[in-house]
């Protein structure tokens, strides 16, 4: 991408692994809402200075290790199927030392922040320390869903659900549906609230019966509410709907400031948790996919080549695409 709304497929030099790095042959990449925000020019990092054009997108990916740099055990990594962490901390600050590299003030984000080239290419170079091995039961489609799944898993963990607890998910997009699938696998009674008929039908197609609009939502006590939407009004709605002494989790981001009344938060004795990044949830997500406890593959509506990415970012759905919210890219096409 060279500017909002401007993108092209270009030839660049093949990446070379520096010390501690690996070159990945990319097999599959997910197109994310963050990528769309870059395309429209609305992404906050463009305005804060954390990102600038030109840039190469792509942070949900799966592939195979093609080469490694100095100091990397080639026998351990060459030919391995992998995915990787988006957040690359500096490795030297207090946050990185305590294992919170995903909130390092000086972090790179693959395909997003600091000019670190993303996975929408035939090859990607990343630190070996960011890689996660994929078992044979996790194919390229599932591998490229690990990163959004890690976000969803962290949101479910933050909700602190027990089997039989009732969860309401606001926003049945990719993250919301992953949250719902993971929470159901953990024994929760899952409900979803949305607006768009296609997304509501998609939730029902996954076997969820508690799928509602704001007008049809029943008056039920919810033990947790997870806001996975981009609507600025829904953070306050989540706080309104959750049971006292329970939890709200905020993982969705609106394009404008969203407000809650902290008096309501305190008077209801509610715990509110914010989630940024999949980093602490990647390994657990791979385990869920590998075991078959969660199968998110129906979320992928279509897979296209690099030449079609611009149209996808502009909102075009490929001919023959299914009803799922996620579109994937195979750079080898």
């Amino acid at each position: 991408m060279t500017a909002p709304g401007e993108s092209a497929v270009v030839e660049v030099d093949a990446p070379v692994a520096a010390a501690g790095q690996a070159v990945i042959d990319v097999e599959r990449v997910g197109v994310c809402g963050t990528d769309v925000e870059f395309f429209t020019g609305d992404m906050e990092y463009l305005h804060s200075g954390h990102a600038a054009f030109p840039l190469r997108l792509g942070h949900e990916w799966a592939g195979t290790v093609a080469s490694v740099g100095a100091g990397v055990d080639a026998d351990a990594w060459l030919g391995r199927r992998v995915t990787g962490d988006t957040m690359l901390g500096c490795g030297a600050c207090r946050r990185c030392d305590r294992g919170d590299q995903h909130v390092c003030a000086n972090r790179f984000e693959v395909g997003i922040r600091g000019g670190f080239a993303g996975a929408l290419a035939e090859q990607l170079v990343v630190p070996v320390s960011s890689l996660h091995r994929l078992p044979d039961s996790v194919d390229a489609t599932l591998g490229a869903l690990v990163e959004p799944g890690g976000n969803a898993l962290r949101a479910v963990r933050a909700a602190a659900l027990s089997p039989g607890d009732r969860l309401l998910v606001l926003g049945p997009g990719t993250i919301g549906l992953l949250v719902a699938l993971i929470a159901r696998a953990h024994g929760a009674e899952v409900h979803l609230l949305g607006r768009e008929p296609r997304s509501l039908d998609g939730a029902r197609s996954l076997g969820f019966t508690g799928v509602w609009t704001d007008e049809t939502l029943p008056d039920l006590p919810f033990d947790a509410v997870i806001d996975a939407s981009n609507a600025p009004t829904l953070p306050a709605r989540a706080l309104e709907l959750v049971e006292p002494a329970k939890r709200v989790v905020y993982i969705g981001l609106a394009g404008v400031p969203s407000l809650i009344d902290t008096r309501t938060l305190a008077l209801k004795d509610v715990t509110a948790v914010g989630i940024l990044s999949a980093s602490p949830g990647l390994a657990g997500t791979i385990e869920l996919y590998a075991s078959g406890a969660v199968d998110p593959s129906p979320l992928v509506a279509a897979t296209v080549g690099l030449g079609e990415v611009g149209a996808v970012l502009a909102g075009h759905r490929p001919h023959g695409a299914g009803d799922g919210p996620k579109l994937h890219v195979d750079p080898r096409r």
Side-chain angles (χ1 to χ4, degrees):
M1 288 196 60
T2 54
E6 296 182 9
S7 64
V9 179
V10 299
E11 292 290 332
V12 299
D13 293 337
V16 177
Q21 293 183 333
V23 173
I24 312 298
D25 286 334
V26 180
E27 299 171 14
R28 196 65 49 85
V29 190
V31 177
C32 175
T34 300
D35 302 324
V36 175
E37 288 184 1
F38 274 115
F39 189 81
T40 61
D42 294 331
M43 174 58 182
E44 189 274 334
Y45 282 176
L46 291 171
H47 309 290
S48 65
H50 291 308
F53 296 115
L55 57 84
R56 192 173 85 204
L57 301 171
H59 62 277
E60 304 173 1
W61 60 270
T64 301
V65 177
S67 62
V68 296
V72 178
D73 185 346
D75 291 337
W77 287 106
L78 286 178
R80 294 282 186 178
R81 298 180 56 255
V82 294
T83 188
D85 198 341
T86 298
M87 308 303 215
L88 309 178
C90 70
C93 69
R94 183 171 180 266
R95 296 174 189 175
C96 287
D97 284 345
R98 71 185 187 216
D100 294 332
Q101 90 285 343
H102 62 291
V103 289
C104 169
N106 298 312
R107 69 184 180 273
F108 291 96
E109 297 179 24
V110 176
I112 298 174
R113 173 171 163 150
F116 200 103
L120 280 173
E122 294 172 310
Q123 290 190 315
L124 166 73
V125 61
V126 290
V128 169
S129 59
S130 71
L131 296 179
H132 289 257
R133 291 180 174 86
L134 295 176
D136 291 341
S137 56
V138 177
D139 63 12
T141 297
L142 295 180
L145 287 166
V146 167
E147 196 277 343
N151 281 281
L153 176 58
R154 289 193 65 213
V156 172
R157 288 173 173 171
L161 296 163
S162 297
D165 279 355
R166 184 178 291 121
L167 167 68
L168 177 64
V169 181
L170 307 182
T174 298
I175 297 296
L177 291 176
L178 284 165
V179 164
L181 290 169
I182 293 169
R184 184 171 66 183
H186 283 80
E189 176 190 323
V190 179
H191 296 253
L192 298 104
L193 178 69
R195 294 184 306 175
E196 300 297 329
R198 187 175 67 196
S199 63
L200 297 173
D201 289 342
R204 295 186 183 100
S205 73
L206 295 172
F208 295 103
T209 55
V211 181
W212 316 101
T213 64
D214 204 44
E215 294 74 26
T216 63
L217 182 68
D219 184 15
L220 294 172
F222 294 105
D223 300 297
V225 179
I226 297 177
D227 178 15
S229 77
N230 60 3
T233 59
L234 286 185
R237 183 81 169 123
L239 185 55
E240 173 189 330
L241 291 167
V242 73
E243 278 286 278
K246 294 297 185 176
R247 291 186 169 227
V248 291
V249 181
Y250 296 112
I251 189 169
L253 292 174
V256 297
S258 53
L259 304 177
I260 64 170
D261 189 336
T262 57
R263 296 172 298 181
T264 304
L265 185 75
L267 291 170
K268 291 185 73 172
D269 197 31
V270 165
T271 299
V273 184
I275 299 294
L276 171 72
S277 113
S279 301
L282 294 172
T285 301
I286 293 170
E287 292 174 5
L288 283 173
Y289 293 176
S291 69
V294 173
D295 177 14
S297 55
L299 303 187
V300 180
T303 301
V304 302
L306 282 176
E308 298 170 80
V309 172
V312 167
L313 291 171
H316 172 73
R317 286 183 70 82
H319 178 72
D323 291 331
K326 177 64 70 174
L327 295 172
H328 272 182
V329 181
D330 184 344
R332 302 167 298 181
R333 290 189 177 185

